[in-house]
Amino acid sequence: MKKLFARSTAVVLSLALLLTSCGGGATATSMHLKKTEGTVAVSDSEGKTVSPRKDLGLYSGYGVETQAKSYAWIDLDKVKLTKLDAESQIEIGKEGKNLEIDVISGELFFNVTEPLDDDETMDIVTSTMIVGIRGTCGWVGEDTAALLEGTVSVTAGDQTVTVNAGEMAVLMEDGTLEVKPFTVNDVPAFVVEEISDDSDLAQAVLDATGLNIPAYSMASYEELLSTLENVVYSELIDFEQDGSPELLVISLDFSRKSATDVGVDYIGIYRNGLDGTQYLVRVGSNMHGRGNYSLVESNGKLFVRRYAESESGHGAFIEYFGSTVQSDGGNESWGIADNLQVSFKADGSLDHFWVRGPEGHYGMSSGVVSEYEAIVNKYIKVRDLVIYEGENVTIVEP
């Protein structure tokens, strides 16, 4: 383990707590390695290796380092205080009741459950910032300090801002300090795991931020995503606009091409629930010469629009995936809202089309442009997601 115990003073970010959170009790007098997972190294103040074990005392000059897919939990006087993320390294400095954790690399979750005594201090330090902890909950990276509960005053140089629960202070490249809200997607997976394992903490975070992090975060779908193949796009989208987002997954499989198709696509919409993850939409279709996927809105709900066009340009399929009802039902209430098979004339005008809606399958005669437009115009485009032409794929950033 490379031993470092230095602080960059180019930019100092200090947080003075205004409100406390995450109830319990602690003092900054001692630290112990509570448990480890994977490969974790510990060294003493002389750089000598110390075998990790439960309740190992950590003293001034000690270092802890985690490898890939490895984590370390550290208690503060028997109350869980921090969790070191994978591929992270810290070093501890302690003088009397003054405790300092230097985050040399990676990220650290902290949960101090009660304000420290007046004669105690605890700082989390990175190469660019100092976070003064007295009683709050959140995580720290090199240039970021995010709060799950509490309110803090943040100072960087001559800049002073207030950060509330659900917000993060970010040190920008130009040295300015920016405060902005974070979403469930911004919460690191190793933090999501801690919140998911503690129902009281999850409720406290929900009360403070309005974020149901265990259920509505990209990290909570990591296991599902690891089982899916050929994924080119995934995003949390609140299709029902009810505050409970679903996971959209788009997969493109070019290995299954044919004489008329460039491959097969798969569209899946999933939701976390009490019984685990369930699929609401999971369909596959042939990919024609070119096509795109976009997010559209209709009647206050969001849908995925799938457009696939033949290489000749004279035929296309247009499908709208999402909830087909006005209540937030299960997968029986989700599917294809409208499915159109379209034929165009050589000049690009409409020749004829067939449509299958939630009510069943029926056809339209040629030339009924107004009825065709009545269907496609009820979906208002929000933004593009994925565009392909042959095997050339473009992911459109939100």
Side-chain angles (χ1 to χ4, degrees):
M1 179 187 300
K2 182 179 180 181
K3 299 297 293 177
L4 295 173
F5 192 58
R7 180 187 310 164
S8 171
T9 58
V11 182
V12 175
L13 174 64
S14 61
L15 282 75
L17 188 67
L18 303 178
L19 297 178
T20 61
S21 55
C22 305
T27 61
T29 58
S30 64
M31 297 187 75
H32 294 85
L33 186 65
K34 181 64 177 178
K35 65 176 181 178
T36 63
E37 179 180 312
T39 303
V40 176
V42 179
S43 63
D44 64 16
S45 59
E46 297 179 352
K48 297 179 180 179
T49 299
V50 178
S51 297
R53 66 176 186 275
K54 183 178 179 180
D55 293 329
L56 173 69
L58 301 175
Y59 307 101
S60 186
Y62 272 53
V64 181
E65 182 176 2
T66 58
Q67 300 300 316
K69 299 182 180 180
S70 303
Y71 308 91
W73 289 259
I74 298 172
D75 272 1
L76 177 63
D77 284 350
K78 305 301 181 183
V79 177
K80 183 168 63 178
L81 170 68
T82 63
K83 177 186 179 182
L84 189 59
D85 192 15
E87 299 182 292
S88 298
Q89 182 180 353
I90 64 170
E91 186 168 314
I92 296 166
K94 182 174 180 296
E95 182 177 352
K97 294 186 177 182
N98 301 318
L99 188 63
E100 182 175 286
I101 303 176
D102 272 4
V103 182
I104 298 168
S105 61
E107 293 184 294
L108 188 73
F109 167 74
F110 60 89
N111 180 4
V112 177
T113 56
E114 188 172 296
L116 303 178
D117 292 339
D118 291 340
D119 62 346
E120 297 174 324
T121 65
M122 176 183 166
D123 293 330
I124 298 178
V125 181
T126 75
S127 63
T128 60
M129 65 175 63
I130 299 176
V131 181
I133 302 298
R134 299 209 61 81
T136 188
C137 185
W139 73 93
V140 171
E142 182 179 0
D143 298 316
T144 302
L147 289 181
L148 295 164
E149 291 190 86
T151 299
V152 298
S153 176
V154 180
T155 301
D158 58 357
Q159 305 171 82
T160 299
V161 295
T162 298
V163 181
N164 298 301
E167 296 178 334
M168 58 170 58
V170 182
L171 195 62
M172 310 303 289
E173 290 185 0
D174 62 0
T176 60
L177 183 63
E178 180 178 325
V179 177
K180 57 184 179 181
F182 61 81
T183 69
V184 289
N185 284 336
D186 296 312
V187 183
F190 83 108
V191 175
V192 171
E193 182 178 355
E194 292 304 292
I195 299 172
S196 300
D197 289 343
D198 187 336
S199 59
D200 291 338
L201 179 57
Q203 185 61 52
V205 172
L206 176 61
D207 293 341
T209 67
L211 299 177
N212 190 341
I213 290 175
Y216 308 126
S217 67
M218 186 63 76
S220 67
Y221 289 99
E222 280 191 347
E223 183 175 355
L224 168 68
L225 289 169
S226 69
T227 67
L228 303 177
E229 298 180 344
N230 306 305
V231 174
V232 299
Y233 192 90
S234 60
E235 182 185 355
L236 286 175
I237 296 174
D238 189 359
F239 287 95
E240 294 286 288
Q241 296 293 282
D242 60 357
S244 302
E246 291 78 29
L247 173 69
L248 168 67
V249 178
I250 300 175
S251 301
L252 306 182
D253 185 357
F254 294 106
S255 69
R256 299 182 61 182
K257 65 176 61 178
S258 67
T260 56
D261 303 314
V262 298
V264 176
D265 68 5
Y266 298 90
I267 294 177
I269 300 175
Y270 305 84
R271 179 195 292 141
N272 281 337
L274 296 177
D275 298 325
T277 302
Q278 70 170 157
Y279 73 88
L280 303 172
V281 173
R282 191 169 57 194
V283 295
S285 304
N286 293 332
M287 299 168 61
H288 300 295
R290 61 185 66 88
N292 61 72
Y293 309 85
S294 56
L295 191 65
V296 297
E297 184 272 334
S298 178
N299 198 24
K301 293 189 175 185
L302 296 175
F303 297 81
V304 176
R305 177 184 184 269
R306 175 187 183 271
Y307 179 85
E309 180 182 312
S310 66
E311 292 187 357
S312 67
H314 291 171
F317 292 88
I318 306 174
E319 298 169 295
Y320 299 89
F321 297 94
S323 175
T324 60
V325 295
Q326 295 303 309
S327 61
D328 192 7
N331 59 351
E332 72 280 356
S333 300
W334 289 63
I336 299 177
D338 284 299
N339 183 332
L340 292 83
Q341 181 175 347
V342 187
S343 175
F344 299 102
K345 297 177 182 178
D347 62 2
S349 62
L350 178 68
D351 185 4
H352 68 275
F353 71 97
W354 291 79
V355 61
R356 177 173 64 84
E359 299 81 12
H361 190 101
Y362 55 95
M364 298 289 185
S365 61
S366 61
V368 190
V369 177
S370 61
E371 295 189 45
Y372 167 80
E373 291 179 341
I375 295 173
V376 297
N377 288 344
K378 72 179 181 181
Y379 297 97
I380 308 302
K381 183 177 177 180
V382 177
R383 56 187 167 90
D384 288 320
L385 304 174
V386 179
I387 301 171
Y388 73 88
E389 183 165 357
E391 296 188 17
N392 295 319
V393 180
T394 300
I395 306 300
V396 182
E397 295 296 330

